[in-house]
Amino acid sequence: MSEACSIAHPNIALSKYWGKRPGGGNFPAVPSLSVTLAGLETRTRVRFDSSLQQDRIVLNGERADAGTEARTSELLDRVRRASGEERHAEVRTRNDFPTASGLASSASGFAALALAATRAAGLSWSASQVSDLARRSSASAARSLFDGFVELPAGPADLGEGGAHEDVVLSARSLAPAGHLALTVLVCVTTEARKAIGSSEGMRRTMAASPYAQAWVEEAPRIHARLRDALLARDFVAVGELAEASALAMHASAIAAGVIYWTGATLDALAAVRSLRAAGTQAFATVDAGPHVKVLARASEAARVRDAMRAAPGVERVIEARPGEGARLVDEVIT
Ligand code: DP6
């Protein structure tokens, strides 16, 4: 078989990955815990084809930019080395949500790509092996392979300098199925524009220049461990409080290095979440490497929280998502 199609969903980190281990290989400096989201999706088709002179990447119907093409070919090269496949590939991929604007399109994008590319090259890899492959391109993508609530450990602390560390494996793992916690994630979209600083670059600048980088790397595993316990105990309020604390600590470390993803609309949306809490509705916010605010609500209170967030200044639309499935192969061909 030389063609395969896949679907993957973005995931939202409740405890955030921000910062990499020094020495190369894209190993996170901190553990993270995410929820894979049904309701937003990436569909990808990979076809190895002897008539191609180079890899061809089509994203949302248009030829991808050089940076995306290079990152995609890097993953395809790993698949070619592992499988013996020598042909170039055509990758066609579509997101049904804004691309590269802090809505985690790289997570679903590389998860879908890793799954379709390994299968198209004839490899029968486990989800864990595919997760490790996706992690090398974008660490958050490692988590989108799995259903529900997912953990990606930090990379090993003792990596030597300067290597791709192809022999060191680090995969995400499922902690709890999608039905474990009756959670709704309201993605409050504040702009459809692409973000100015990609997350890899934002992390690099934070680690290099933030006076709080070390504080973040020390605090993140503690927040993570407490959040993991709260999740396993199905304690929605503790999960929400810790998720908000993780996001605020991550952004505080980034902001101190001049890496500012927030806009006025982000601050207004955060204020709207605090007002909801003051009025007795348990809602909590998280923010990734972009201006959007994702609100965690009990499924039973989602409609009220959605209406309040729609009314927040600067919120253009609200996408409602639930915990969902991991990446999977599908039959249908996309064009
Ligand atoms: C803020 O996975 O996009 O969304 O590994 O450099 O591709 P790279 O970074 P990426 O970073 C995601 C950062 C985050 C937090 C998270 O998803 O854990």
Side-chain angles (χ1 to χ4, degrees):
M1 189 199 293
S2 58
E3 177 173 320
C5 299
S6 62
I7 291 182
H9 302 290
N11 66 77
I12 299 292
L14 303 176
S15 88
K16 300 292 185 198
Y17 147 54
W18 194 250
K20 300 171 197 274
R21 293 282 193 218
N26 208 36
F27 290 93
V30 299
S32 55
L33 196 163
S34 62
V35 53
T36 304
L37 297 180
L40 304 165
E41 70 179 34
T42 297
R43 285 172 176 257
T44 296
R45 184 184 74 184
V46 176
R47 182 167 52 87
F48 289 100
D49 182 340
S50 54
S51 71
L52 293 170
Q53 304 305 307
Q54 59 184 64
D55 294 327
R56 186 181 143 78
I57 322 300
V58 181
L59 174 59
N60 296 329
E62 286 173 22
R63 193 73 187 261
D65 61 62
T68 303
E69 228 162 60
R71 264 178 107 178
T72 305
S73 285
E74 205 177 293
L75 187 151
L76 292 168
D77 285 341
R78 287 200 168 89
V79 171
R80 282 186 279 256
R81 281 198 294 278
S83 64
E85 172 64 69
E86 287 175 348
R87 291 171 291 181
H88 291 290
E90 184 189 68
V91 176
R92 298 186 82 88
T93 187
R94 255 181 209 287
N95 295 327
D96 68 356
F97 56 93
T99 298
S101 62
L103 279 186
S105 61
S106 78
S108 53
F110 283 108
L113 175 68
L115 185 60
T118 46
R119 175 52 68 96
L123 296 167
S124 297
W125 280 8
S126 65
S128 178
Q129 285 173 294
V130 179
S131 171
D132 176 67
L133 173 68
R135 194 243 338 128
R136 292 170 193 278
S137 294
S138 187
S140 58
R143 301 184 308 234
S144 274
L145 267 305
F146 298 98
D147 296 352
F149 298 88
V150 181
E151 176 177 61
L152 177 64
D158 52 359
L159 289 164
E161 277 300 310
H165 305 292
E166 298 288 343
D167 50 329
V168 181
V169 173
L170 182 74
S171 309
R173 55 185 176 230
S174 184
L175 282 179
H180 177 78
L181 194 65
L183 176 76
T184 297
V185 179
L186 299 152
V187 179
C188 304
V189 178
T190 56
T191 169
E192 309 279 342
R194 288 176 75 92
K195 64 188 174 194
I197 312 172
S199 36
S200 307
E201 176 60 12
M203 287 182 209
R204 197 193 58 71
R205 290 194 207 171
T206 304
M207 291 313 190
S210 175
Y212 307 127
Q214 198 48 40
W216 160 251
V217 169
E218 283 166 20
E219 181 62 11
R222 293 195 280 265
I223 297 176
H224 176 84
R226 289 166 61 205
L227 201 149
R228 189 176 192 276
D229 289 349
L231 173 73
L232 295 176
R234 295 193 169 89
D235 183 343
F236 169 78
V237 171
V239 166
E241 285 172 353
L242 289 158
E244 194 166 304
S246 175
L248 294 177
M250 172 205 133
H251 282 277
S253 72
I255 286 168
V259 177
I260 304 171
Y261 291 105
W262 294 0
T263 62
T266 312
L267 290 168
D268 286 338
L270 290 173
V273 172
R274 286 195 301 273
S275 298
L276 274 164
R277 281 207 295 273
T281 301
Q282 296 297 348
F284 302 91
T286 184
V287 186
D288 290 304
H292 315 296
V293 173
K294 289 101 178 191
V295 181
L296 311 172
R298 285 197 169 99
S300 56
E301 293 181 321
R304 185 182 331 149
V305 175
R306 186 193 56 218
D307 291 347
M309 294 313 299
R310 273 193 186 140
V315 172
E316 290 185 2
R317 62 195 177 108
V318 177
I319 306 169
E320 206 166 323
R322 304 165 305 288
E325 282 181 83
R328 59 214 179 266
L329 293 160
V330 288
D331 290 333
E332 60 266 42
V333 172
I334 62 155
T335 50

